[in-house]
Amino acid sequence: MKIAFFSPHSDPLAEPGQPDSGGQCIYERQVAIHLARQGHEVRVFTRLWGDKRPQESIADGAAVHRYPMGPPGFLRKEDMGPYIAEFAAAVISDRRVWLESADAFHGHYWDGGVSALAAGLSLGKPVVFTAHSLGALKRDRLPDPDPEGATFRYDIRLAAERRILGAADGVITLGKVEQRALVERCGCDPGKIAVIPGGVELSEFRVAGDKRTLQRELGFNTDYVLFTVGRLDPRKGFLELLEAMPRVLRGLADAGMSATLLMPMGQERPAPAEMAYRARLQERAKALGIEGAIHWFPRLSDEALRQRYSAADLFLCPSPYEPFGLVLAEAFASGTPVVATVHGGPSEIVSPGEDGYLADPEDPEEFSSAILKALLLPPPDRRKMQACAFAKAENRFAWESVATRVADVYRGLDGKAG
Ligand code: F6P
């Protein structure tokens, strides 16, 4: 099959951690690679900006094609609305022949949904939509801080998602929480939804032979190492995590133990919003008197990142809302249990007591209790949790089977639209 991904803001070759680049980039890249390995051809249409090249290969059979859209520099995903029609028109006029021979158009996130739909309606092709994050669910947890609604533009986003979901021929969601919301909150026909989780590239992550030895090699000498990673974005809940840390450190000190928290400090040249958030985090750590227990790490190479995943005793995902949580699958593939937010996709990934715990990051007492519970388990129980975490990554999150199931959705569209 020939598959067109439409994804204006999320470039599959962008480095996760940059503004508006995260799990969705990894998802699109890995699904494209694995579809191509299975003999399909994938083209990802995304935005051309900065010093990116108009065309780049992802793997044999999968490529990125970039088109200008709006101003030349970075554009927040929330501000893309007015330029999406222009983007779809540019893609169609340049790639019409290929698009006419394609089997399915797959829109990612609402900006991708709008462009896939515009192209699909123009050329009579079936359209699949993956929201990656749903406006209605995000708004419940993160209302717009701007009284005019200019930060998250929920007005445009929610209306667009409803319309895309009504018109799409197929919908892929990464989890059941979102599946329910698609039906109950957005009026989506349940018959056209397929639930297919995200994945992890098992060959890229490693389980440490002995976590303690690896921690010492990396220069961490406390009894425990806690690890979290993500863009410096309030949506990732790092500030909430800091609020939980004094209680964690006190609890450990009572048991005669200590911990280091590995916290990201963003990119070398952060955008103003990122810089402001970093300053808030560092000031708050100081005010809470916990800076001594925090190791702020700059942007890391893939290898260094993976070492920290496997060295950590516990991975933390404190987002007030997390649509899926690919980072949890990465932690599991590294043999590392997690404490993750109870809000969103993680509740379907984590089996509490087996491979981690779920807690509300906005309740510092609850979140810190979950961390302490995981750390203070007797060593044989902790080793069992590590083994369960890895087994889950192996059994549930292989990209190859994700891609097979996504391809089945495209196959099932035969005869729809077109
Ligand atoms: O754009 C970065 C990103 O993390 C995507 O990977 C993901 O799809 C999206 O943000 C989630 O967006 P929202 O902030 O709307 O929940």
Side-chain angles (χ1 to χ4, degrees), residues 6 8 81 84 105-121 125-135 155-172 182 186-189 192-193:
F6 286 79
I84 300 177
F105 293 180
H106 189 162
H108 296 271
Y109 202 74
W110 77 267
D111 55 346
V114 172
S115 46
L117 207 55
L121 291 173
K125 293 289 168 183
V127 171
V128 174
F129 176 55
T130 299
H132 291 278
S133 160
L134 204 56
D155 51 346
I156 296 179
R157 175 176 177 176
L158 266 70
E161 285 173 343
R162 246 183 183 275
R163 288 173 174 186
I164 300 161
L165 288 163
D169 304 288
V171 174
I172 296 176
L182 289 169
C186 307
C188 182
D189 168 4
K192 64 184 181 191
I193 305 177

Side-chain angles (χ1 to χ4, degrees), residues 9-10 18-25 77-78 109-110 131-135 138 142 152 154 157 231 233 235-236 321 323:
H9 90 266
S10 176
Q18 292 179 337
D20 282 358
S21 303
Q24 187 183 331
C25 305
K77 60 188 193 287
E78 290 84 0
Y109 202 74
W110 77 267
H132 291 278
S133 160
L134 204 56
K138 177 174 173 179
L142 292 166
F152 293 136
Y154 286 125
R157 175 176 177 176
R231 295 188 303 287
D233 178 334
R235 186 164 129 0
K236 293 294 170 190
Y321 168 63

Side-chain angles (χ1 to χ4, degrees), residues 13 17 139 162 200 310 323 365 393 404 417:
L13 293 178
R139 191 180 55 176
R162 246 183 183 275
V200 61
S310 21
E365 194 167 329
T404 304

